[in-house]
Amino acid sequence: MHLSAVISLQNIVWFIKGMREYTRSGFENASKSFVAKDLDVSMVGRSFMITGANSGIGKATAMAIAKKGGTVHIVCRNKERAERAREEIISASGNNEVYVHVLDLSESRKVWEFAEAFKKEHSSLSVLINNAGCMVNQREMNSDGLEKNFATNTLGVYVLTKCLIPLLEKSRDPRVITVSSGGMLVQKLNTDDLQTERAPFDGTMVYAQNKRQQVVMTEVWAKANPKIHFSVMHPGWADTPAVAKAMPQFHQMMRDRLRTADQGADTVVWLTVSRATTAFPSGLFFQDRQPVSAHLPLAWTHSSRREVKVFMGRLETLAMAVKPSE
């Protein structure tokens, strides 16, 4: 079978899987096997950084952690929206330990500066949640000349995580959770065109490629940093402002079937706070509190060791090229 036919078939399989598993009814079915006491824990004394936490899944995650007594650092691009989210979280949780940090993750140099400053100001960090993301449907560049989707979803996550690993390692039971997407299941890691300079620009496919990149990064980090528990997850198809803005037709078509933000955030919260999480090996891909394959059956999306090594090497080169001088 020709590769294009295989890809088309995989897309159909993915959509059928999505209608069955990624929707609100999929969550409701999966939740029947959830263990309620997994989330019955106190987070007092632990600190959490959540990117993109002024709305949607990030905000729902921050709210859940604040209600459990954790110290929450919300990292957002828009200061006004972040402050509004902070006030709502404090009001609902009664927890004043919620702090706003303004950062645009698409600006790679500023990510370095922020992370280095955070390390100097804080003695430890228990959990990093890489939630912020974007789907820009037209090719745009950041101030460093990097494509904006890649800079936000991939390089920003890479730089922030890499820089904060030494701080995380100072904590008891440190974790890193990255919010990916099931869309990555139809993408194979492309090491030759990280910023979509050669292929026709399709924002949805670029986003899906970035999400595959996040899965690969997580697998590599897990092997390289055994003191930290890494995981990456798919929240399902959730009704969030980001989805409504980036994919208006999909949002309109699926609106009545989409998960709530809280349902989308459930596995993020579970991976963040539950003791059950660390019973699983580091580096896995999760959906509805269970590790699942990062590839569809008979998929063509597996990467070779060489491809992974090339990808991580190119990320490191790009990251170091925008690192501010000491």
Side-chain angles (χ1 to χ4, degrees), residues 9-23 186 237 250 253-254 257 296:
L9 180 60
Q10 291 275 296
N11 288 344
I12 294 170
V13 170
W14 174 80
F15 187 75
I16 293 171
K17 177 182 176 69
M19 291 295 289
R20 186 177 67 247
E21 299 178 13
Y22 302 164
T23 55
V186 298
W237 294 341
F250 173 80
M253 179 181 72
M254 296 294 295
R257 297 179 179 179
L296 292 171

Side-chain angles (χ1 to χ4, degrees), residues 214-227:
Q214 290 178 347
V215 170
V216 172
M217 287 190 293
T218 297
E219 292 169 346
V220 172
W221 285 330
K223 293 175 182 177
N225 305 278
K227 293 181 181 178

Side-chain angles (χ1 to χ4, degrees), residues 76-104:
C76 307
R77 183 177 54 185
N78 186 293
K79 188 176 192 303
E80 184 179 326
R81 291 178 191 168
E83 291 289 357
R84 194 180 311 134
R86 176 182 179 271
E87 290 172 7
E88 291 174 15
I89 293 167
I90 290 174
S91 176
S93 68
N95 180 353
N96 290 317
E97 298 293 305
V98 181
Y99 302 95
V100 167
H101 306 269
V102 179
L103 173 67
D104 183 345

Side-chain angles (χ1 to χ4, degrees), residues 27-88:
F27 176 84
E28 290 166 352
N29 288 333
S31 67
K32 293 173 184 176
S33 63
F34 290 176
V35 178
K37 68 178 182 180
D38 279 357
L39 300 185
D40 187 17
V41 290
S42 170
M43 291 292 106
V44 173
R46 285 176 66 75
S47 59
F48 306 81
M49 180 184 291
I50 309 166
T51 63
N54 63 354
S55 66
I57 290 169
K59 182 181 175 184
T61 301
M63 182 75 77
I65 294 169
K67 287 180 177 179
K68 296 180 184 301
T71 296
V72 180
H73 297 275
I74 61 175
V75 179
C76 307
R77 183 177 54 185
N78 186 293
K79 188 176 192 303
E80 184 179 326
R81 291 178 191 168
E83 291 289 357
R84 194 180 311 134
R86 176 182 179 271
E87 290 172 7
E88 291 174 15

Side-chain angles (χ1 to χ4, degrees), residues 100-306:
V100 167
H101 306 269
V102 179
L103 173 67
D104 183 345
L105 261 87
S106 75
E107 295 297 335
S108 312
R109 194 176 304 271
K110 291 180 180 178
V111 178
W112 271 114
E113 292 171 349
F114 166 76
E116 292 291 355
F118 190 90
K119 279 197 299 189
K120 292 175 182 175
E121 294 167 11
H122 298 85
S123 59
S124 67
L125 178 67
S126 305
V127 182
L128 168 62
I129 301 170
N130 291 308
N131 167 73
C134 73
M135 186 192 295
V136 180
N137 288 308
Q138 306 231 342
R139 187 176 177 82
E140 293 181 25
M141 313 300 281
N142 72 2
S143 60
D144 295 309
L146 300 169
E147 192 276 315
K148 193 164 270 191
N149 289 296
F150 171 78
T152 304
N153 302 327
T154 303
L155 193 61
V157 171
Y158 178 83
V159 170
L160 186 63
T161 305
K162 172 187 172 71
C163 196
L164 292 178
I165 280 174
L167 189 61
L168 286 157
E169 289 181 331
K170 295 179 181 179
S171 299
R172 175 184 55 82
D173 187 20
R175 306 181 188 188
V176 174
I177 297 98
T178 300
V179 179
S180 183
S181 167
M184 67 88 199
L185 289 168
V186 298
Q187 286 283 311
K188 182 183 188 301
L189 180 68
N190 183 348
T191 62
D192 295 325
D193 194 16
L194 295 184
Q195 299 184 65
T196 324
E197 296 169 287
R198 302 172 194 167
F201 194 89
D202 179 330
T204 303
M205 290 299 101
V206 170
Y207 179 82
Q209 174 66 206
N210 296 161
K211 294 301 174 176
R212 169 60 69 186
Q213 292 164 351
Q214 290 178 347
V215 170
V216 172
M217 287 190 293
T218 297
E219 292 169 346
V220 172
W221 285 330
K223 293 175 182 177
N225 305 278
K227 293 181 181 178
I228 301 172
H229 192 276
F230 289 85
S231 52
V232 59
M233 59 79 67
H234 174 39
W237 294 341
D239 188 356
T240 66
V243 170
K245 180 180 179 181
M247 305 175 69
Q249 290 181 315
F250 173 80
H251 183 264
Q252 182 68 26
M253 179 181 72
M254 296 294 295
R255 184 169 52 190
D256 295 335
R257 297 179 179 179
L258 297 177
R259 299 180 177 199
T260 66
D262 285 340
Q263 290 172 338
D266 177 83
T267 296
V268 186
V269 176
W270 181 81
L271 287 166
T272 300
V273 307
S274 174
R275 295 184 182 91
T277 298
T278 52
F280 295 101
S282 182
L284 298 184
F285 180 64
F286 285 82
Q287 175 187 310
D288 291 332
R289 302 194 192 182
Q290 288 293 325
V292 295
S293 176
H295 303 275
L296 292 171
L298 306 177
W300 54 281
T301 52
H302 295 268
S303 301
S304 68
R305 290 182 185 176
R306 180 187 172 280

